[in-house]
Amino acid sequence: MAWVIRHFDGVVAISGAMVVGLMDIFSDAVSDNVTSGATLLVLAALVFGSLTERRRRVADIREATTGTQKALEDLAMVRSLSGTEVRRALDEARQETDRWVFKGGTGTYLRAVTLPECVRKAQEQRRSLTMKIDIVNPSDAQACEAYARFRRTFDGGQGDTAQRRTWSAERTRKESYATVLAACWHKQRLDVLEIDVHLSSVVPTLRFDLTDSCLIITQDDLRRVNLLVDRGRPLYDYYLTELHQAREQAIALDLHRAAPLSDEPTVDEVRQLFERLDLALPSTVTDTDVGEIIEKALHAENPYRS
């Protein structure tokens, strides 16, 4: 029945032709005028059917074109970035955003550039700032070693000599501690800064920077292809949910418990800070190591500067 309804015009034409044809063959009751009229009627039905089929084809072509256009738009929702394009995209993302979500290894670029620049913009524009940071747990020796092994395997050889030195579990631990310290230090100096730090035992292979305007996915080697997804695209929303779920499975630090820090924190202040956060430094960490953590936290150099 569905087929008959869809091809009703053709069914009418064929049925009319067969009825008139059979009557003409087997009966003398049909005059030539009736036969001619029926022939014209059948021809008209065929023409109507042809026009209807043409409209169907146009509709099918339009539907196929719409599908192709949507597929192209879906492909265009991801843009590739390389080299200076990544720095430019990150810089543009920092201009107006009041939200920054980060997930990565130890947050070296975050504390060297992103965090201080976002804080400075918030102060200049007198607005609030929300930051969510997800990094490798420095108290998880296995995770630190796994991340160091990953970096040694895929070291891009960028930055100065200090940055190119071999990654180790100890270095990973110090870098993560430095990011926690930087978050606490900035939080205590900007009342409108809402910052959360989560510590993960899952080693990431990519970095995610999500802002109000876009999502930027990068690798440790900026010479490789990196990705940018504009807000409003499905992939942006997918990763927004994915990053939230990742934080839910990580350890959240209560930064409100952090001990006060001076403008140039002392070793004792930093040790007390981590104890208050239930992230006490291992006994093997010397005062010299703590001094290095402080330097990394507050005076970090941009690892990808030109």
Side-chain angles (χ1 to χ4, degrees), residues 257-287:
R257 299 174 54 189
L261 296 168
S262 58
D263 290 342
E264 289 294 333
T266 65
V267 171
D268 290 338
E269 287 177 346
V270 172
R271 287 188 180 276
Q272 184 180 6
L273 169 76
F274 288 122
E275 288 177 0
R276 295 277 294 273
L277 295 176
D278 292 330
L279 199 64
L281 296 170
S283 58
T284 56
V285 176
T286 65
D287 288 351

Side-chain angles (χ1 to χ4, degrees), residues 23-144:
M23 291 177 65
D24 188 36
I25 294 173
F26 297 103
S27 175
D28 295 331
V30 180
S31 66
D32 292 340
N33 291 335
V34 174
T35 303
S36 299
T39 302
L40 292 176
L41 179 62
V42 171
L43 290 175
L46 291 174
V47 171
F48 177 77
S50 177
L51 293 175
T52 302
E53 183 63 25
R54 182 177 299 178
R55 286 197 299 272
R56 290 198 190 106
R57 290 180 181 177
V58 171
D60 292 341
I61 292 173
R62 186 179 296 111
E63 182 180 353
T65 303
T66 302
T68 302
Q69 182 179 358
K70 187 178 185 305
L72 292 175
E73 290 176 353
D74 290 341
L75 289 174
M77 74 179 178
V78 178
R79 286 187 286 156
S80 61
L81 303 173
S82 60
T84 57
E85 292 178 332
V86 177
R87 302 183 185 92
R88 191 180 307 114
L90 289 168
D91 181 62
E92 292 175 356
R94 288 192 295 266
Q95 298 307 309
E96 301 294 337
T97 189
D98 60 1
R99 174 180 61 167
W100 199 285
V101 179
F102 172 83
K103 178 175 176 56
T106 59
T108 304
Y109 183 86
L110 175 81
R111 68 174 179 272
V113 180
T114 302
L115 180 55
E117 283 297 312
C118 285
V119 167
R120 183 177 64 82
K121 289 289 183 182
Q123 291 173 328
E124 290 178 352
Q125 300 173 11
R126 295 178 177 270
R127 56 173 169 77
S128 62
L129 174 64
T130 300
M131 300 197 74
K132 298 183 182 297
I133 302 171
D134 188 346
I135 57 175
V136 173
N137 188 347
S139 64
D140 188 330
Q142 185 175 0
C144 290

